[in-house]
Protein backbone atom coordinates (compact mmCIF):
# COMPACT_ATOMS: atom_id res chain seq x y z
CA UNK A 1 0.00 0.00 0.00
CA UNK A 2 1.41 3.45 -0.96
CA UNK A 3 2.80 5.36 2.02
CA UNK A 4 1.85 8.71 0.48
CA UNK A 5 -1.84 7.84 0.48
CA UNK A 6 -3.67 10.02 3.06
CA UNK A 7 -5.00 7.87 5.90
CA UNK A 8 -8.46 9.38 5.74
CA UNK A 9 -8.75 11.88 2.90
CA UNK A 10 -10.03 15.40 3.52
CA UNK A 11 -13.02 14.56 1.32
CA UNK A 12 -13.88 11.56 3.52
CA UNK A 13 -13.38 13.61 6.70
CA UNK A 14 -15.79 16.22 5.36
CA UNK A 15 -18.34 13.51 4.51
CA UNK A 16 -17.98 11.98 7.99
CA UNK A 17 -18.59 15.45 9.48
CA UNK A 18 -21.70 15.98 7.33
CA UNK A 19 -23.13 12.55 8.22
CA UNK A 20 -22.55 13.14 11.94
CA UNK A 21 -24.31 16.52 11.62
CA UNK A 22 -27.30 14.75 10.08
CA UNK A 23 -27.54 11.91 12.63
CA UNK A 24 -30.92 11.95 14.37
CA UNK A 25 -29.75 11.80 17.94
CA UNK A 26 -33.26 11.80 19.39
CA UNK A 27 -34.09 8.58 17.53
CA UNK A 28 -30.67 7.08 18.18
CA UNK A 29 -30.94 8.03 21.85
CA UNK A 30 -33.98 5.76 22.10
CA UNK A 31 -32.03 2.91 20.51
CA UNK A 32 -28.85 3.26 22.53
CA UNK A 33 -30.23 4.22 25.96
CA UNK A 34 -33.16 3.31 28.18
CA UNK A 35 -33.22 6.97 29.28
CA UNK A 36 -31.09 10.09 28.91
CA UNK A 37 -30.34 9.47 25.21
CA UNK A 38 -30.04 13.20 24.41
CA UNK A 39 -27.41 13.74 27.09
CA UNK A 40 -25.58 10.57 26.02
CA UNK A 41 -25.20 11.81 22.47
CA UNK A 42 -24.34 15.38 23.51
CA UNK A 43 -21.21 14.02 25.19
CA UNK A 44 -20.49 11.07 22.86
CA UNK A 45 -21.08 12.51 19.39
CA UNK A 46 -17.75 14.34 18.99
CA UNK A 47 -15.59 11.58 20.60
CA UNK A 48 -17.40 9.00 18.42
CA UNK A 49 -16.52 10.98 15.28
CA UNK A 50 -12.93 11.68 16.36
CA UNK A 51 -12.04 8.19 17.66
CA UNK A 52 -13.95 6.53 14.81
CA UNK A 53 -11.88 8.54 12.30
CA UNK A 54 -8.67 7.52 14.08
CA UNK A 55 -9.66 3.84 13.81
CA UNK A 56 -10.58 4.36 10.15
CA UNK A 57 -7.09 5.78 9.55
CA UNK A 58 -5.44 2.75 11.18
CA UNK A 59 -7.72 0.39 9.27
CA UNK A 60 -6.83 2.03 5.96
CA UNK A 61 -3.31 0.65 6.35
CA UNK A 62 -4.54 -2.89 6.94
CA UNK A 63 -6.80 -3.19 3.89
CA UNK A 64 -6.19 -3.28 0.19
CA UNK A 65 -8.04 -1.27 -2.41
CA UNK A 66 -11.18 -2.81 -3.88
CA UNK A 67 -11.99 -5.65 -1.44
CA UNK A 68 -15.19 -6.41 0.45
CA UNK A 69 -15.99 -5.96 4.14
CA UNK A 70 -18.69 -7.56 6.25
CA UNK A 71 -19.77 -5.45 9.24
CA UNK A 72 -21.68 -7.38 11.91
CA UNK A 73 -23.70 -5.07 14.18
CA UNK A 74 -22.66 -1.75 12.64
CA UNK A 75 -23.91 1.53 14.12
CA UNK A 76 -22.78 5.12 14.60
CA UNK A 77 -19.28 4.07 15.71
CA UNK A 78 -18.65 2.35 12.38
CA UNK A 79 -19.59 5.28 10.11
CA UNK A 80 -16.05 6.73 9.73
CA UNK A 81 -14.57 3.31 8.85
CA UNK A 82 -17.39 2.56 6.41
CA UNK A 83 -16.90 5.89 4.64
CA UNK A 84 -13.11 5.54 4.56
CA UNK A 85 -13.42 2.07 3.01
CA UNK A 86 -15.89 3.09 0.32
CA UNK A 87 -14.58 6.56 -0.58
CA UNK A 88 -10.82 6.21 -0.06
CA UNK A 89 -10.28 2.51 -0.80
CA UNK A 90 -13.12 1.93 -3.29
CA UNK A 91 -14.15 -1.12 -1.32
CA UNK A 92 -17.65 -2.57 -0.99
CA UNK A 93 -19.04 -2.60 2.52
CA UNK A 94 -21.97 -4.63 3.86
CA UNK A 95 -23.07 -3.24 7.25
CA UNK A 96 -25.72 -5.34 9.03
CA UNK A 97 -27.69 -4.48 12.16
CA UNK A 98 -30.79 -6.16 13.62
CA UNK A 99 -32.42 -2.94 14.92
CA UNK A 100 -34.82 -1.65 12.29
CA UNK A 101 -35.28 1.79 13.88
CA UNK A 102 -31.52 2.38 14.00
CA UNK A 103 -30.95 1.17 10.44
CA UNK A 104 -33.62 3.54 9.07
CA UNK A 105 -32.11 6.45 10.95
CA UNK A 106 -28.52 5.65 9.94
CA UNK A 107 -29.52 5.32 6.29
CA UNK A 108 -31.22 8.73 6.32
CA UNK A 109 -28.00 10.26 7.70
CA UNK A 110 -25.85 8.42 5.13
CA UNK A 111 -28.01 9.45 2.16
CA UNK A 112 -25.84 10.52 -0.79
CA UNK A 113 -22.93 8.31 0.35
CA UNK A 114 -22.20 4.74 -0.80
CA UNK A 115 -23.01 3.38 2.69
CA UNK A 116 -26.29 1.52 3.11
CA UNK A 117 -27.13 -0.36 6.33
CA UNK A 118 -29.26 -3.50 6.15
CA UNK A 119 -31.63 -4.92 8.79
CA UNK A 120 -30.69 -8.57 8.54
CA UNK A 121 -28.65 -11.25 10.25
CA UNK A 122 -25.09 -10.67 9.00
CA UNK A 123 -24.59 -14.44 8.93
CA UNK A 124 -26.85 -14.54 5.85
CA UNK A 125 -24.49 -12.31 3.82
CA UNK A 126 -22.97 -13.84 0.71
CA UNK A 127 -19.18 -14.04 0.99
CA UNK A 128 -16.30 -14.01 0.51
CA UNK A 129 -15.02 -10.96 2.39
CA UNK A 130 -11.39 -10.07 3.10
CA UNK A 131 -12.39 -8.07 6.19
CA UNK A 132 -14.81 -8.90 8.97
CA UNK A 133 -15.72 -6.16 11.48
CA UNK A 134 -17.45 -7.41 14.61
CA UNK A 135 -17.28 -5.01 17.55
CA UNK A 136 -19.30 -5.15 20.77
CA UNK A 137 -21.63 -7.82 19.38
CA UNK A 138 -20.39 -11.05 21.00
CA UNK A 139 -20.39 -9.50 24.48
CA UNK A 140 -23.49 -7.30 24.14
CA UNK A 141 -25.01 -7.16 27.66
CA UNK A 142 -28.48 -6.50 26.21
CA UNK A 143 -28.47 -9.70 24.14
CA UNK A 144 -26.24 -11.81 26.39
CA UNK A 145 -27.00 -10.71 29.97
CA UNK A 146 -25.40 -13.81 31.53
CA UNK A 147 -22.38 -14.06 29.25
CA UNK A 148 -21.38 -10.36 29.17
CA UNK A 149 -20.58 -10.04 32.92
CA UNK A 150 -18.34 -13.10 32.65
CA UNK A 151 -16.59 -11.59 29.61
CA UNK A 152 -15.90 -8.42 31.57
CA UNK A 153 -14.87 -10.27 34.75
CA UNK A 154 -17.89 -8.95 36.63
CA UNK A 155 -19.99 -12.12 37.00
CA UNK A 156 -21.55 -12.55 40.43
CA UNK A 157 -20.81 -16.09 41.71
CA UNK A 158 -23.92 -16.00 43.91
CA UNK A 159 -26.44 -15.28 41.14
CA UNK A 160 -24.55 -16.58 38.07
CA UNK A 161 -26.71 -19.00 36.07
CA UNK A 162 -24.49 -21.52 34.19
CA UNK A 163 -27.44 -22.89 32.17
CA UNK A 164 -28.40 -19.51 30.73
CA UNK A 165 -24.70 -18.78 30.18
CA UNK A 166 -24.17 -21.95 28.12
CA UNK A 167 -27.18 -21.20 25.92
CA UNK A 168 -25.78 -17.72 25.24
CA UNK A 169 -22.30 -19.13 24.61
CA UNK A 170 -23.78 -21.48 21.99
CA UNK A 171 -25.51 -18.52 20.30
CA UNK A 172 -22.26 -16.52 20.22
CA UNK A 173 -20.25 -19.48 18.92
CA UNK A 174 -22.86 -20.17 16.29
CA UNK A 175 -22.70 -16.56 15.03
CA UNK A 176 -18.89 -16.79 14.84
CA UNK A 177 -19.16 -20.21 13.15
CA UNK A 178 -21.45 -18.78 10.49
CA UNK A 179 -19.46 -15.58 9.85
CA UNK A 180 -15.81 -16.68 9.96
CA UNK A 181 -15.99 -19.07 6.96
CA UNK A 182 -16.94 -16.03 4.84
CA UNK A 183 -13.50 -14.54 5.52
CA UNK A 184 -11.00 -15.24 2.74
CA UNK A 185 -7.47 -16.03 3.90
CA UNK A 186 -5.33 -14.15 4.57
CA UNK A 187 -8.03 -11.93 6.00
CA UNK A 188 -8.50 -9.27 8.63
CA UNK A 189 -10.84 -9.21 11.61
CA UNK A 190 -11.53 -5.96 13.45
CA UNK A 191 -12.92 -6.63 16.91
CA UNK A 192 -12.77 -5.48 20.51
CA UNK A 193 -10.12 -6.83 22.85
CA UNK A 194 -12.93 -8.50 24.85
CA UNK A 195 -14.13 -10.42 21.78
CA UNK A 196 -10.72 -11.65 20.56
CA UNK A 197 -11.22 -14.94 22.45
CA UNK A 198 -14.17 -15.92 20.23
CA UNK A 199 -12.19 -15.38 17.02
CA UNK A 200 -9.16 -17.13 18.52
CA UNK A 201 -11.36 -20.06 19.59
CA UNK A 202 -12.67 -20.44 16.02
CA UNK A 203 -9.12 -20.29 14.58
CA UNK A 204 -7.92 -22.93 17.09
CA UNK A 205 -10.83 -25.23 16.31
CA UNK A 206 -10.06 -24.95 12.58
CA UNK A 207 -6.25 -25.10 12.87
CA UNK A 208 -5.86 -21.68 11.27
CA UNK A 209 -2.98 -19.41 12.40
CA UNK A 210 -3.80 -15.91 13.53
CA UNK A 211 -2.00 -12.89 14.86
CA UNK A 212 -3.49 -10.35 17.26
CA UNK A 213 -2.08 -6.88 16.54
CA UNK A 214 -0.45 -5.23 19.55
CA UNK A 215 -2.01 -1.83 18.90
CA UNK A 216 -5.31 -1.05 20.58
CA UNK A 217 -7.61 1.83 19.68
CA UNK A 218 -9.99 3.45 22.15
CA UNK A 219 -13.68 3.74 21.27
CA UNK A 220 -16.26 6.25 22.45
CA UNK A 221 -19.58 4.46 22.71
CA UNK A 222 -19.20 1.01 24.26
CA UNK A 223 -15.72 1.91 25.50
CA UNK A 224 -13.94 -1.37 24.73
CA UNK A 225 -10.70 -0.86 22.77
CA UNK A 226 -10.48 -2.27 19.25
CA UNK A 227 -7.68 -4.30 17.71
CA UNK A 228 -6.92 -6.05 14.43
CA UNK A 229 -6.46 -9.80 13.99
CA UNK A 230 -4.68 -11.18 10.94
CA UNK A 231 -6.17 -14.56 10.11
CA UNK A 232 -4.49 -17.16 7.95
CA UNK A 233 -1.08 -15.57 7.56
CA UNK A 234 1.32 -14.33 10.25
CA UNK A 235 2.37 -10.68 10.11
CA UNK A 236 5.47 -9.07 11.64
CA UNK A 237 4.43 -7.66 15.02
CA UNK A 238 2.03 -9.00 17.65
CA UNK A 239 1.38 -12.31 19.36
CA UNK A 240 1.39 -15.26 16.97
CA UNK A 241 -0.69 -18.36 17.68
C1 LIG B 1 -24.02 -3.33 21.42
S1 LIG B 1 -24.47 -2.99 19.76
C2 LIG B 1 -22.88 -2.50 19.10
C3 LIG B 1 -23.01 -1.46 18.02
C4 LIG B 1 -21.66 -0.95 17.48
N1 LIG B 1 -20.89 -2.02 16.88
C5 LIG B 1 -20.85 -0.24 18.53
O1 LIG B 1 -19.76 -0.74 18.86
O2 LIG B 1 -21.29 0.82 19.01
C6 LIG B 1 -24.70 -4.62 19.05
C7 LIG B 1 -25.31 -4.58 17.66
O3 LIG B 1 -25.13 -5.84 17.03
C8 LIG B 1 -26.27 -6.12 16.25
N2 LIG B 1 -26.28 -7.57 15.95
C9 LIG B 1 -26.24 -8.61 16.83
N3 LIG B 1 -26.26 -9.78 16.18
C10 LIG B 1 -26.29 -9.49 14.85
C11 LIG B 1 -26.33 -10.27 13.66
N4 LIG B 1 -26.36 -11.60 13.70
N5 LIG B 1 -26.38 -9.63 12.47
C12 LIG B 1 -26.37 -8.29 12.41
N6 LIG B 1 -26.32 -7.50 13.51
C13 LIG B 1 -26.29 -8.08 14.71
C14 LIG B 1 -27.43 -5.61 17.07
O4 LIG B 1 -28.55 -5.35 16.27
C15 LIG B 1 -26.81 -4.32 17.64
O5 LIG B 1 -27.07 -3.26 16.77
Amino acid sequence: MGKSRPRVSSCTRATIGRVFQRLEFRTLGRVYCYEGGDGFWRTKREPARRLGTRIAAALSHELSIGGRSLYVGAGVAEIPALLMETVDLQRRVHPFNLRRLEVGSLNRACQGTPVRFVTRDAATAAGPFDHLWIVSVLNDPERFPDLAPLSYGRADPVTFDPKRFSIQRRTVQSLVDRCMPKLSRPGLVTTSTEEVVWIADWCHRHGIPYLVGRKQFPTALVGDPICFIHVGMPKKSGRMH
Side-chain angles (χ1 to χ4, degrees):
M1 235 157 285
K3 278 210 161 90
S4 58
R5 175 161 57 79
R7 292 169 169 221
V8 177
S9 68
S10 49
C11 164
T12 300
R13 282 174 195 273
T15 308
I16 293 169
R18 272 198 304 278
V19 170
F20 267 73
Q21 281 302 320
R22 284 202 299 254
L23 284 169
E24 303 159 343
F25 286 113
R26 190 166 294 173
T27 307
L28 292 169
R30 295 212 306 275
V31 174
Y32 279 69
C33 310
Y34 290 114
E35 53 183 39
D38 282 0
F40 174 82
W41 282 115
R42 249 195 310 280
T43 53
K44 296 291 187 182
R45 173 193 185 132
E46 181 50 23
R49 187 198 59 77
R50 187 168 39 81
L51 295 178
T53 305
R54 200 182 290 171
I55 292 163
L59 181 62
S60 77
H61 290 284
E62 303 286 344
L63 297 174
S64 52
I65 288 172
R68 293 178 81 218
S69 291
L70 174 62
Y71 280 70
V72 186
V76 171
E78 281 78 8
I79 289 172
L82 289 163
L83 288 168
M84 179 283 295
E85 285 207 42
T86 49
V87 180
D88 292 341
L89 298 183
Q90 295 99 52
R91 292 172 57 85
R92 297 187 53 190
V93 294
H94 299 260
F96 290 83
N97 181 322
L98 300 178
R99 300 160 168 164
R100 195 168 297 281
L101 184 66
E102 184 179 11
V103 166
S105 184
L106 292 170
N107 280 337
R108 283 192 290 281
C110 289
Q111 224 158 36
T113 78
V115 174
R116 208 79 206 127
F117 291 80
V118 176
T119 315
R120 216 173 75 208
D121 179 357
T124 63
F129 298 92
D130 61 2
H131 173 219
L132 170 69
W133 174 299
I134 183 160
V135 172
S136 302
V137 173
L138 307 172
N139 55 357
D140 180 0
E142 212 173 277
R143 183 127 185 258
F144 307 115
D146 300 278
L147 179 143
L150 195 82
S151 271
Y152 288 110
R154 292 198 287 259
D156 177 348
V158 177
T159 56
F160 186 72
D161 184 329
K163 264 199 198 135
R164 285 204 303 255
F165 165 76
S166 10
I167 294 167
Q168 290 165 31
R169 177 170 55 189
R170 270 204 302 280
T171 307
V172 166
Q173 262 170 344
S174 143
L175 180 58
V176 174
D177 285 351
R178 288 180 298 143
C179 289
M180 283 299 284
K182 300 179 196 297
L183 187 70
S184 51
R185 294 195 292 274
L188 184 78
V189 176
T190 302
T191 193
S192 75
T193 53
E194 306 297 335
E195 291 162 289
V196 165
V197 283
W198 299 108
I199 307 300
D201 170 58
W202 185 89
C203 290
H204 283 292
R205 284 190 279 119
H206 292 80
I208 293 166
Y210 64 95
L211 186 75
V212 182
R214 284 212 176 97
K215 271 196 135 180
Q216 296 184 0
F217 303 89
T219 59
L221 299 184
V222 180
D224 300 338
I226 282 180
C227 64
F228 301 124
I229 308 177
H230 294 270
V231 175
M233 189 182 72
K235 241 193 150 194
K236 276 173 259 127
S237 72
R239 279 178 287 133
M240 206 189 8
H241 301 269

